[in-house]
Each structure stands twice: as C-alpha cells, then as structure tokens.
C-alpha cells in the first residue's frame, strides 16, 4: 500500500537512548532537559529567538485566540484543517470566512476589509501546504484596523519567506509536530511570538497560569509537551535535512512525470523557500478527481482529499456566507502520496495512472 504519507521513524536504539535520558533524570514532563534541548536546536535551525514547544498544534491556537480574540469575530480562511475553525468556535469566538485565492489557496487578502465589523478582533489565516499568505498586505490591514494577526503555520516547518522564518510573521504563529507533519514528536507543536508581554502570557497560559508553585498570573490550561514526546523529536532531529531532501526529490519526480494538461498545481508565493510538505493537485471537476482516486485505490495507492469540506460548510456552524473559490477547490483537490521513502519508480507509477485516467 502507498499511503498519502508515512511518519519518519528514527532507528529505535536512537529513540530509546533519548528515552533513557528521561529515565536517568527521572523527569517525564514540565519542561525537562529534553524539551529545553529541542527548543535550542529549533531556535538555531530556524534562526528564530523565541519558541515554546507545546503538546500539539491546536492548543497554542486556542491560547492565542483566548488571549487576542476577546470573544469577538475572527476573520479566517475556509480552506484549512478543521482545527483552525474549531479553535475559534471552542474559544467562544465567531468565525467570519473570507474566500481564498484560486492559485495560492491562502486567504484572499483583497476581500478581508469588506468582512471587518466593529466586533472583529483578529485575523487567523493558514499558510496552506506551507505556502505563505500575503503577510505584508494582511499586516497593513491589521494595523489600519487595529486587529491582531494569528497564523496557523502547522504545515510550515522550515519554510522561509523573504529569507526569514515564516514563523516570524504575525503577532502569534503556531506549528504542529503531529506524526503526519514534516518534523514530528508523535504529538506536539510550537508557538512563536515576538512581543515579550504577549509571549509571557502565552507561556503561563500553557502551564495552568502558574507563577511558581503557589501563585498564579492568571487563567491557564495545560499545553505542555512531555519529555517522552521530546525524546521522539530529538531522535528525528538528526534526519530532518535528509527527510526534506528526499521529499524534494519526490516533488521533482512528480513535476517531471505528471501531465499538467488537465490538472493544476498550486502557485507558491514568490520569495518563498518551501519545505516540500505536500503535493496537492487540482482537477477540473470533482468527477475527474473521483475517477483518478478510484483508479489509484485499485492499485493500493491512497491519496487524501484535503482539505474537504470547505470549513464554512461545517455542519455544526450556523449558516455561513458562501465562499465560492474555497468550496470549488475543496471538491477538486487531491493530495498525492509524499514521504521520505517514496521511490521515483512509485512516483512514476502514480503519475502514469493519473495521466491515463485524467480528463
Ligand atoms: C495538523 C494541523 C493542525 C493541528 O495540529 P495538531 O498538532 O494535530 O493539533 C492545525 N492546523 C492545520 C492547518 C493542520 O494541518
């Protein structure tokens, strides 16, 4: 079977050696030696001076929304993983969907201003598949209307925009280290924030609000990652450049073997140094997608339809405004298999099936 992705599993002795350190320390969580070391490695690698590693990529989104959203309306993208919208609703805020750009698939910044009301507090946008939003335009709109900007950068490990880590943009930026993501800790994530006051609030919020053992800065939740998850991160760490190189080869192989007459690739924003995290293709119709998907499945190849549905169509939301582009793309986009051990021959096989069944 060729699945859409496979988690990188480091050699088990190397994972166990990291776990052994937690045993030696008799320290399993609460910011032990392993998570602190992983944070240092990430800072150096990403060229960023602030990072807080967390238990996943969703809780830091919730914390940011709790601190900045103020129960108001949050302008957001309908084309993302469900966590982006769910975090808004979970924190008692109201999502206001703004449609996406048909080629970049990120929020259409030209439509944001029309959606701002006196209740708007934040813009929460996703750098979809590691493709940056128009961060300059969004920043200008936010400044003009006194709004905060949160980026769901779950897909963005290692992405640079204009020679800077993409995590440097926005008031708060979050990443996911889930097992299916490029760099992973099994479950895990991170939050980035340049403002010291806000960073302090995020920090104590992720640890129950603690100010030492006996007093509290304020309300908090548990967003801490354990030493056992950090052990996985440290064991994956030495392989990350190799993982990205191998995925780069997969991307280049698809680019060579696929016939792009009837399918479309996403446009990467200029000045982006990308991370080869996904290989989405957009078909002309949902029927064409389904036909190709069926043929691939017959050969044991299992691509995934994401993101589907467009999040403005989620059944638990009150009726939301239409987002034509996102709804259209959501029915026609398929993410092809991509992972470190996917061979050129397998890519060729996948491409052949797509080329011969795609209308
Ligand atoms: C994976 C993902 C998340 C959630 O991250 P977890 O670590 O699974 O909580 C949020 N947003 C997007 C866009 C994602 O792909």
């Amino acid at each position: 079977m060729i699945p859409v992705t496979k988690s990188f599993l480091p050699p088990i002795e190397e994972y166990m050696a990291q776990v052994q350190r937690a045993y030696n320390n008799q320290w399993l969580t609460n910011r032990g030696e392993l998570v602190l070391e992983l944070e240092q490695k990430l800072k150096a690698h990403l060229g960023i001076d602030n990072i807080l590693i967390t238990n996943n990529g969703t809780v830091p989104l919730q914390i940011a929304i709790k601190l900045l959203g103020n129960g108001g309306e949050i302008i957001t993208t309908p084309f993302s993983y469900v966590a982006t919208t769910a975090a808004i609703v979970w924190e008692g805020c109201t999502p206001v969907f703004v449609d996406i750009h048909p080629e970049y698939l990120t929020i259409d910044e030209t439509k944001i201003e029309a959606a701002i009301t006196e209740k708007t507090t934040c813009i929460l946008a996703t750098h979809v598949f590691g493709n940056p939003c128009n961060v300059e335009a969004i920043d200008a709109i936010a400044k003009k209307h006194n709004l905060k900007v949160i980026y769901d950068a779950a897909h963005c490990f290692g992405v640079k925009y204009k020679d800077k880590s993409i995590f440097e943009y926005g008031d708060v930026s979050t990443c996911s280290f889930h097992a299916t993501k490029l760099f992973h800790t099994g479950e895990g994530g991170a939050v980035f924030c340049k403002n010291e006051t806000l960073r302090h609030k995020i920090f104590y919020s992720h640890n129950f609000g603690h100010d030492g053992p006996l007093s509290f800065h304020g309300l908090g939740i548990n967003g801490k990652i354990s030493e056992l998850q950090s052990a996985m991160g440290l064991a994956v760490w030495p392989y990350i450049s190799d993982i990205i190189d191998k995925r780069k080869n997969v991307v280049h192989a698809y680019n060579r073997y696929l016939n792009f007459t009837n399918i479309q690739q996403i446009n990467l924003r200029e000045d982006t140094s990308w991370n080869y995290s996904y290989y989405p293709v957009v078909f002309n119709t949902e029927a064409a997608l389904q036909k190709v998907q069926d043929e691939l499945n017959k050969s044991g190849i299992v691509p995934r339809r994401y993101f589907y549905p467009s999040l403005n169509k989620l059944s638990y939301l009150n009726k939301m405004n239409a987002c034509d582009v996102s709804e259209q793309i959501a029915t026609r986009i398929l993410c092809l298999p991509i992972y470190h051990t996917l061979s050129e021959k397998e890519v060729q096989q996948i491409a052949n099936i797509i080329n011969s069944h795609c209308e």
Side-chain angles (χ1 to χ4, degrees), residues 126-138:
T126 301
H127 303 303
V128 182
F129 305 131
N131 194 21
C133 298
N134 187 338
V135 290
E136 290 93 357
I138 292 172

Side-chain angles (χ1 to χ4, degrees), residues 2 250-260 263 279 281 283 292 295-296 299 301 336-337 342-358:
I2 300 180
V250 170
V251 165
H252 288 164
Y254 274 126
N255 290 347
R256 275 199 306 280
Y257 293 120
L258 281 172
N259 173 350
F260 292 98
I263 52 176
Y279 200 95
V281 288
F283 291 80
V292 165
E295 290 301 326
L296 289 169
S299 300
I301 300 159
L336 303 183
L342 190 68
S343 70
E344 178 162 347
K345 248 182 106 182
E346 288 170 316
V347 172
Q348 198 174 4
Q349 181 200 355
I350 295 166
N352 286 344
I353 296 172
I354 296 172
N355 293 342
S356 50
H357 293 94
C358 184

Side-chain angles (χ1 to χ4, degrees), residues 100-148:
I100 57 169
H101 189 280
E103 285 159 17
Y104 295 118
L105 309 189
T106 48
I107 195 166
D108 185 343
E109 62 280 355
T110 65
K111 295 181 177 157
I112 290 177
E113 280 198 286
I116 295 174
T117 71
E118 69 282 2
K119 292 192 191 133
T120 310
T121 52
C122 294
I123 299 168
L124 166 49
T126 301
H127 303 303
V128 182
F129 305 131
N131 194 21
C133 298
N134 187 338
V135 290
E136 290 93 357
I138 292 172
D139 187 52
I141 294 165
K143 285 213 168 79
K144 181 170 160 197
H145 296 274
N146 200 20
L147 305 175
K148 298 294 182 188

Side-chain angles (χ1 to χ4, degrees), residues 48 50 64 68 122-125 127 132-140 142-143 147-153 161 164-174 191-196 198-199 202:
I48 213 170
N50 73 84
L68 301 175
C122 294
I123 299 168
L124 166 49
H127 303 303
C133 298
N134 187 338
V135 290
E136 290 93 357
I138 292 172
D139 187 52
K143 285 213 168 79
L147 305 175
K148 298 294 182 188
V149 180
I150 304 167
Y151 284 117
D152 182 341
Y161 177 67
K164 238 171 40 171
S165 168
I166 192 70
F167 301 134
E168 298 251 23
Y169 296 87
D171 292 287
V172 178
S173 192
T174 62
V191 54
F192 305 84
C193 172
K194 279 179 294 186
N195 178 282
E196 202 177 322
L198 182 56
R199 187 159 73 230
I202 292 170

Side-chain angles (χ1 to χ4, degrees), residues 75-117:
I75 290 180
T76 191
T77 175
F79 195 71
S80 183
Y81 182 57
V82 67
T84 317
T85 298
I88 294 172
V89 178
W90 196 268
E91 292 304 331
C93 294
T94 306
V96 173
F97 292 100
V98 166
D99 210 348
I100 57 169
H101 189 280
E103 285 159 17
Y104 295 118
L105 309 189
T106 48
I107 195 166
D108 185 343
E109 62 280 355
T110 65
K111 295 181 177 157
I112 290 177
E113 280 198 286
I116 295 174
T117 71

Side-chain angles (χ1 to χ4, degrees), residues 56-58 80-81 83-84 126 152 154-155 176 178 181 188:
N56 58 43
T58 303
S80 183
Y81 182 57
T84 317
T126 301
D152 182 341
H155 301 166
S176 168
H178 182 260
K181 304 297 205 280

